[in-house]
Each structure stands twice: as C-alpha cells, then as structure tokens.
C-alpha cells in the first residue's frame, strides 16, 4: 500500500521463467513485477494518496505521512495551503465549524476570552466589549 508514502513505482514488464505464487506481494494481478524504490513518508504539509505528494489545501492540515488531508477542528484555522498543523484562534476570535480558513473576530458586545474558541459569548448587562 503506497498511501502516505512519497515514492517512485515502476513496473517491470520483463517476464522470466520464475514461478510467481498467487500470494506474492511483489506482483500485480497480471504477473507484472512492481518495484518500489526510495519510498519515504509523505512530507509535512502534503498528503500522498497514491505515492504522489499533493499540497495540503487551505482549511486542512497534513502531518508527515498523511494519505488524506485532515480538516482543522472548530476553534482553529489554516489560512494557507501546505500546513502541517492548524493555528488556534486567538482570544477575541472564533471558528464555529471545522475546515475554517480564517478566524472570525467577535462582534461588539461579545467576546471570546481564550484561544481556540468556537463561539463568542454575549457580555452581561451593564458591561461591554469593543471586539
């Protein structure tokens, strides 16, 4: 399985007289030799669905060895492609859903006191926030 690997695969169509058993993992269904040279885990910021590196899209992240991109969880964002992790939204900003590309500033009269928040909180009566 080449998922999550960055490698060069090539087929050897030269058939020899060797007997290749059905359970031999180095052959495809047609008896063609498959050779994999130089496989290594997919680099951070990329995913490798079939042994070919693809840049991780915005709103998602790809740690080393990824075969699929992972959506950023709510409370974080990824504003540019090729990220290996998501950025937690700073205090005063939120992302209510997964796969966000940017953090949203809380409206006036609301706040988000810590980082990584998914919703803004309304200020109590007799108080305010300039966010």
């Amino acid at each position: 399985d080449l998922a999550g690997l960055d490698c060069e695969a090539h087929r050897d169509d030269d058939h020899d007289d060797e007997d290749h058993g059905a359970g031999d993992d180095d052959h495809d269904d047609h008896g063609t030799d498959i050779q994999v040279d130089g496989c290594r885990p997919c680099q951070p910021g990329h995913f490798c669905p079939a042994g070919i590196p693809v840049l991780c899209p915005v709103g998602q992240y790809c740690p080393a060895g990824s075969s699929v991109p992972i959506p950023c969880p709510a409370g974080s964002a990824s504003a540019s492609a090729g990220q290996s992790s998501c950025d937690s939204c700073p205090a005063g900003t939120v992302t209510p859903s997964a796969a966000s590309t940017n953090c949203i500033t809380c409206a006036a009269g609301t706040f988000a006191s810590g980082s990584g928040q998914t919703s803004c909180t309304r200020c109590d009566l007799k108080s305010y926030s300039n966010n």
Side-chain angles (χ1 to χ4, degrees):
D1 184 11
L2 301 178
L5 296 177
D6 174 11
C7 56
E8 299 173 17
H10 61 276
R11 296 185 187 281
D12 181 4
D13 291 326
D14 295 331
H15 297 285
D16 54 22
D17 292 334
E18 290 182 42
D19 180 30
H20 299 292
D24 192 341
D25 288 338
D26 292 334
H27 305 282
D28 66 12
D29 293 335
H30 305 291
T32 304
D33 292 342
I34 298 173
Q35 296 180 353
V36 180
D37 300 320
C39 287
R40 57 196 174 277
C42 198
Q43 295 295 309
H46 295 80
F47 66 104
C48 298
I52 300 169
V54 178
L55 191 64
C56 200
V58 296
Q60 302 182 44
Y61 70 103
C62 300
S66 294
S67 60
V68 296
I70 304 165
C72 291
S76 67
S78 172
S80 60
Q83 298 298 306
S84 60
S85 63
C86 299
D87 298 317
S88 183
C89 292
T93 66
V94 298
T95 56
S97 60
S100 294
T101 58
N102 62 324
C103 299
I104 302 164
T105 301
C106 292
T110 65
F111 69 97
S113 60
S115 64
Q117 300 297 307
T118 59
S119 64
C120 300
T121 304
R122 285 194 184 278
C123 293
D124 292 333
L125 294 176
K126 301 182 185 180
S127 64
Y128 74 97
S129 172
N130 288 331
N131 285 351

